[in-house]
């Protein structure tokens, strides 16, 4: 395992998950993703209610719940790709008390492309592999190439919820992007083009 500590920032649908999978394979890193962790615990009772109540509405899950997920994952990781966290300034400040980062990569993709990517996304119910009905279709419609599992739509990938997630991103997470830009640790990567082209750009940044 290598010890790169990479933060991947970007709006919903920018390709954080897609590129994280490539990065963890290439550099043997842990994938720390609050979105996947929360989806696996959507019905968990917390003092704030369940994560699913926030997620299905496109809102942020309260900070104490996500901070706990991240701190536990960081304890076990040498190198990691952090995906989906931090999403507001308070989370960014909490993170800075827990670990240093080598590089912050911002995946830049324009708004209308994000809506198309998210509303066309399909994920494997069994192994989590991600597809897109037009941009990355499976060989057989509705069936996972990797494991034969059923492909489903994420509950927050409907057009209305996607628009709310983008609004929440602009309000809460764009200030996080600015925060890292001001610190000088942000590297912007063009997130358009094929996933392989985007990955080549990220690799160039990491191997700098
Ligand atoms: P989360 O799961 O993190 O969702 P997100 O940030 O909205 O991002 P996505 O996972 O939707 O997009 P992605 O960038 O990973 O794109 P992907 O690679 O899949 O969070 C979900 C919810 O959990 C939040 O709304 C919130 O409620 C809660 N939550 C999570 N973290 C939290 C936190 N820190 N604090 C509070 N609450 C939190 O790609 C998208 C699609 O595009 C796919 O279909 C893919 O095939 C396709 N695609 C990818 N790359 C390309 C390309 N280059 N060209 C064409 N298509 C492409
Ligand atoms: Mg994702
Ligand atoms: Zn699968």
């Amino acid at each position: 395992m290598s010890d790169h500590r990479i933060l991947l920032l970007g709006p919903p649908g920018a390709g954080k998950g897609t590129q994280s999978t490539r990065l963890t394979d290439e550099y043997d890193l842990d994938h720390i993703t609050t979105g996947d962790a929360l989806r696996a615990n959507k019905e968990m009772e917390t003092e704030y209610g369940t994560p699913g109540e926030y997620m299905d509405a496109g809102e942020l899950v309260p900070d104490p719940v996500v901070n706990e997920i991240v701190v536990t994952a960081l304890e076990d990781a040498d190198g990691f790709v952090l995906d989906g966290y931090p999403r507001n300034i308070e989370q960014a400040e909490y993170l800075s008390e827990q670990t240093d980062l080598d590089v912050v990569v911002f995946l830049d993709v324009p708004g209308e492309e994000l809506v198309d990517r998210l509303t066309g996304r399909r994920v494997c119910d069994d192994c989590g592999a991600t597809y897109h009905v037009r941009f990355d279709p499976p060989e057989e419609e509705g069936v996972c190439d990797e494991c034969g599992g059923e492909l489903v739509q994420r509950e927050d990938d409907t057009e209305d919820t996607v628009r709310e997630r983008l609004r929440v991103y602009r309000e809460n997470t764009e200030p996080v992007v600015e925060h890292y830009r001001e610190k000088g640790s942000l590297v912007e990567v063009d997130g358009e083009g094929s996933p392989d082209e985007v990955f080549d750009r990220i690799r160039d940044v990491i191997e700098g």
Side-chain angles (χ1 to χ4, degrees):
M1 175 168 308
S2 71
D3 57 3
H4 294 290
R5 289 163 299 182
I6 302 165
L7 170 56
L8 212 48
L9 278 179
K16 301 181 298 294
T18 301
Q19 298 300 331
S20 291
T21 304
R22 286 172 162 73
L23 284 165
T24 53
D25 287 352
E26 175 96 0
Y27 298 110
D28 192 19
L29 303 168
D30 281 3
H31 184 196
I32 302 180
T33 163
T34 46
D36 288 356
L38 291 166
R39 263 184 295 285
N41 293 285
K42 272 181 92 170
E43 309 306 328
M44 182 182 70
E45 290 293 344
T46 76
E47 60 183 288
Y48 311 94
T50 65
E53 291 166 31
Y54 298 88
M55 299 172 80
D56 291 348
E59 308 302 329
L60 296 185
V61 174
D63 292 343
V65 178
V66 287
N67 288 344
E68 173 74 22
I69 292 171
V70 170
V71 76
T72 305
L74 284 172
E75 277 168 18
D76 298 329
D78 291 323
F80 57 81
V81 183
L82 196 47
D83 156 9
Y85 180 99
R87 270 174 138 92
N88 60 28
I89 289 290
E90 292 75 22
Q91 292 178 15
E93 280 165 1
Y94 181 81
L95 177 65
S96 72
E97 294 163 12
Q98 309 303 322
T99 184
D100 293 327
L101 300 166
D102 298 331
V103 62
V104 181
V105 175
F106 172 62
L107 281 178
D108 191 15
V109 177
E112 278 314 302
E113 164 97 16
L114 297 171
V115 176
D116 286 347
R117 285 190 186 185
L118 291 172
T119 52
R121 172 167 54 191
R122 299 293 182 271
V123 291
C124 176
D125 210 18
D126 290 338
C127 77
T130 299
Y131 300 85
H132 190 283
V133 290
R134 280 189 290 137
F135 307 141
D136 183 17
E139 277 176 38
E140 189 185 336
E141 196 186 320
V143 180
C144 179
D145 293 344
E146 307 283 330
C147 77
E150 185 193 355
L151 301 185
V152 298
Q153 188 167 27
R154 246 168 68 173
E155 282 180 68
D156 59 349
D157 277 347
T158 57
E159 178 146 357
D160 282 352
T161 309
V162 163
R163 295 204 182 272
E164 176 61 10
R165 286 159 60 200
L166 290 169
R167 191 196 64 75
V168 167
Y169 169 80
R170 281 192 294 273
E171 185 175 309
N172 297 278
T173 314
E174 274 182 358
V176 174
V177 177
E178 287 316 309
H179 165 83
Y180 288 111
R181 201 193 307 278
E182 281 164 20
K183 281 181 60 178
S185 46
L186 191 82
V187 183
E188 258 179 81
V189 167
D190 178 1
E192 287 191 283
S194 73
D196 286 343
E197 285 167 341
V198 176
F199 183 62
D200 284 342
R201 294 178 197 134
I202 297 175
R203 195 168 34 198
D204 285 346
V205 169
I206 287 162
E207 296 181 4

